[in-house]
Amino acid sequence: MDKTSNSNLGVDVQKLVTIHKNATRQLQLIDMQLESLTRKVFDAQLNGDRGFMLQLMTRKSVLKGVRRAYSQFIQNKASQITELCTLTLTSEGSESNNIIAEITSAVSNHVLTSDDLAPAVTETFCLFSRCS
């Protein structure tokens, strides 16, 4: 492998790492928004405001879907980074290993959860549509 292709691989790895970091930051913002919606749903339930609670639960369900998409995107970028890093291991071994360790730890911190509110939203929606 010549030096020009190796430097191009390094640039590609840097771009992918930047994309990965930005997506991870977005995922953290989504997690904060999910926590906020959970509190709002709880408050709406305490206040007996079923319509607003349904609206919030729908928002939360959609946000969980977006979170799953971001998680998949992050995993894809992490696999692309590890593939490129294995190609550059011969010349920059320790730096590539550090990048791989950082990426895999960031991905492993995120746990995919199922949308446990979807059945409740569906049931509430059915009740509201029957009453209308």
Side-chain angles (χ1 to χ4, degrees), residues 22-52:
N22 290 338
T24 303
R25 213 173 298 130
Q26 288 297 322
L27 195 64
Q28 291 170 347
L29 292 173
I30 289 172
D31 286 338
M32 290 186 334
Q33 186 66 25
L34 281 170
E35 289 176 16
S36 172
L37 282 173
T38 301
R39 285 191 300 271
K40 288 179 182 179
V41 166
F42 182 74
D43 290 341
Q45 187 176 13
L46 286 178
N47 294 334
D49 192 358
R50 288 184 156 206
F52 186 56

Side-chain angles (χ1 to χ4, degrees), residues 3 22 29 32-33 39-40 43 51 54 58 62 76 78 83 87-88 98 103 109 118-119 125:
K3 289 184 178 183
N22 290 338
L29 292 173
M32 290 186 334
Q33 186 66 25
R39 285 191 300 271
K40 288 179 182 179
D43 290 341
L54 177 64
T58 304
V62 170
N76 289 343
E83 287 176 18
L87 291 175
T88 59
N98 291 339
I103 297 304
N109 288 338
F125 180 76

Side-chain angles (χ1 to χ4, degrees), residues 18-126:
T18 302
I19 291 169
H20 182 273
K21 284 182 181 180
N22 290 338
T24 303
R25 213 173 298 130
Q26 288 297 322
L27 195 64
Q28 291 170 347
L29 292 173
I30 289 172
D31 286 338
M32 290 186 334
Q33 186 66 25
L34 281 170
E35 289 176 16
S36 172
L37 282 173
T38 301
R39 285 191 300 271
K40 288 179 182 179
V41 166
F42 182 74
D43 290 341
Q45 187 176 13
L46 286 178
N47 294 334
D49 192 358
R50 288 184 156 206
F52 186 56
M53 185 179 75
L54 177 64
Q55 184 182 26
L56 291 172
M57 289 172 72
T58 304
R59 287 181 191 172
K60 187 174 176 180
S61 179
V62 170
L63 197 56
K64 281 187 175 186
V66 171
R67 187 190 189 290
R68 271 188 242 117
Y70 265 97
S71 294
Q72 185 64 40
F73 178 76
I74 288 170
Q75 289 175 351
N76 289 343
K77 291 303 168 190
S79 66
Q80 289 175 1
I81 290 169
T82 54
E83 287 176 18
L84 282 177
C85 284
T86 55
L87 291 175
T88 59
L89 272 178
T90 56
S91 63
E92 303 162 5
S94 62
E95 184 178 335
S96 297
N97 288 334
N98 291 339
I99 291 172
I100 292 172
E102 178 183 337
I103 297 304
T104 55
S105 68
V107 172
S108 65
N109 288 338
H110 300 291
V111 178
L112 292 177
T113 58
S114 64
D115 192 356
D116 53 346
L117 293 177
V121 170
T122 304
E123 181 181 341
T124 308
F125 180 76
C126 290

Side-chain angles (χ1 to χ4, degrees), residues 1-11:
M1 186 182 315
D2 62 348
K3 289 184 178 183
T4 57
S5 65
N6 196 18
S7 66
N8 288 338
L9 286 175
V11 170

